[in-house]
Amino acid sequence: KQNQLLEQLNDELLQLANKDALTNLANRHYLQRFLKEKLQTPQHVTIFMLDIDSFKLYNDYYGHLQGDEVLVRVASILQQVALEHHLIAVRLGGEEFALFGFDLSNDAATHIAEIICTQVEAAKIPHEKSTASSFVTVSLGYVQLEQMTFVNFTNVLEMADQALYAAKNNGRNQFQQYTPELSVHV
């Protein structure tokens, strides 16, 4: 009986350690462990990184409880896209999210990025203070790495982050694919 209780507690602790409490998506800790395990052998990986446009302004205007609701709604959209396209959705922290997929063609990755941006805006969550739209939107950057083995988690995310910032600098509510030229300009 006691062993069964200990096993149940261990399972619950593992869930807590790997999931974001607010959105129920995987968290950064899970992502790091997953990528270290998954990318021991060379693979074609696509990493999408996104955040909610003008989210600080949203929180300042509508309040943090409404901000939390937006995070949950965006996470729900991302989880649905992840399920439909065999991706892993992760909340990195704050208003920043990531999705990871394997063996996606360039066309498929572009299509997924477009779906995410479109579906978030189509949710029609009012955002009066946004500079991009009258609704909540996201900016998204993604990188595709062919035959990648896991070297450095931070460097991999940095490439997707550079594409994300290019999308933001180009006006938000859009996506941008990483190219080596971005690291020079961003």
Side-chain angles (χ1 to χ4, degrees):
K1 197 81 166 156
Q2 192 172 9
N3 282 345
Q4 189 178 14
L5 181 60
L6 283 174
E7 283 180 32
Q8 183 181 351
L9 288 173
N10 279 337
D11 287 346
E12 288 176 24
L13 282 173
L14 190 58
Q15 286 287 344
L16 289 172
N18 290 317
K19 289 218 176 199
D20 176 68
L22 178 65
T23 64
N24 218 22
L25 294 180
N27 63 20
R28 185 182 286 264
H29 172 76
Y30 171 83
L31 176 65
Q32 287 175 310
R33 270 195 18 256
F34 174 80
L35 286 178
K36 282 182 183 174
E37 291 170 14
K38 186 75 173 166
L39 299 178
Q40 292 302 315
T41 57
Q43 296 201 38
H44 180 88
V45 64
T46 303
I47 301 165
F48 303 89
M49 185 177 283
L50 61 134
D51 68 22
I52 299 170
D53 293 326
S54 306
F55 190 68
K56 182 181 179 337
L57 295 174
Y58 187 95
N59 270 340
D60 290 347
Y61 186 73
Y62 295 96
H64 290 278
L65 290 176
Q66 284 297 113
D68 284 353
E69 283 299 314
V70 167
L71 292 171
V72 169
R73 288 186 66 188
V74 169
S76 177
I77 292 167
L78 296 177
Q79 186 62 39
Q80 188 60 43
V81 171
L83 288 171
E84 290 172 6
H85 297 279
H86 309 290
L87 307 171
I88 297 166
V90 178
R91 181 174 178 208
L92 296 174
E95 73 276 14
E96 196 167 55
F97 298 89
L99 288 98
F100 292 79
F102 299 93
D103 300 320
L104 294 174
S105 69
N106 191 48
D107 287 346
T110 300
H111 180 68
I112 291 167
E114 194 172 283
I115 286 171
I116 292 168
C117 290
T118 301
Q119 286 189 5
V120 170
E121 189 171 24
K124 296 192 181 297
I125 304 165
H127 190 344
E128 291 184 35
K129 299 298 180 183
S130 175
T131 57
S133 171
S134 57
F135 301 111
V136 168
T137 59
V138 295
S139 294
L140 183 148
Y142 70 97
V143 61
Q144 291 197 286
L145 302 166
E146 295 199 24
Q147 299 301 309
M148 183 195 135
T149 55
F150 186 81
V151 179
N152 185 320
F153 176 74
T154 306
N155 290 346
V156 172
L157 286 183
E158 192 174 292
M159 287 184 269
D161 201 40
Q162 288 173 358
L164 167 61
Y165 277 92
K168 286 180 171 194
N169 290 337
N170 289 333
R172 301 180 189 271
N173 190 22
Q174 60 184 280
F175 62 89
Q176 174 72 50
Q177 182 175 7
Y178 173 84
T179 60
E181 295 80 35
L182 285 179
S183 58
V184 175
H185 301 294
V186 175

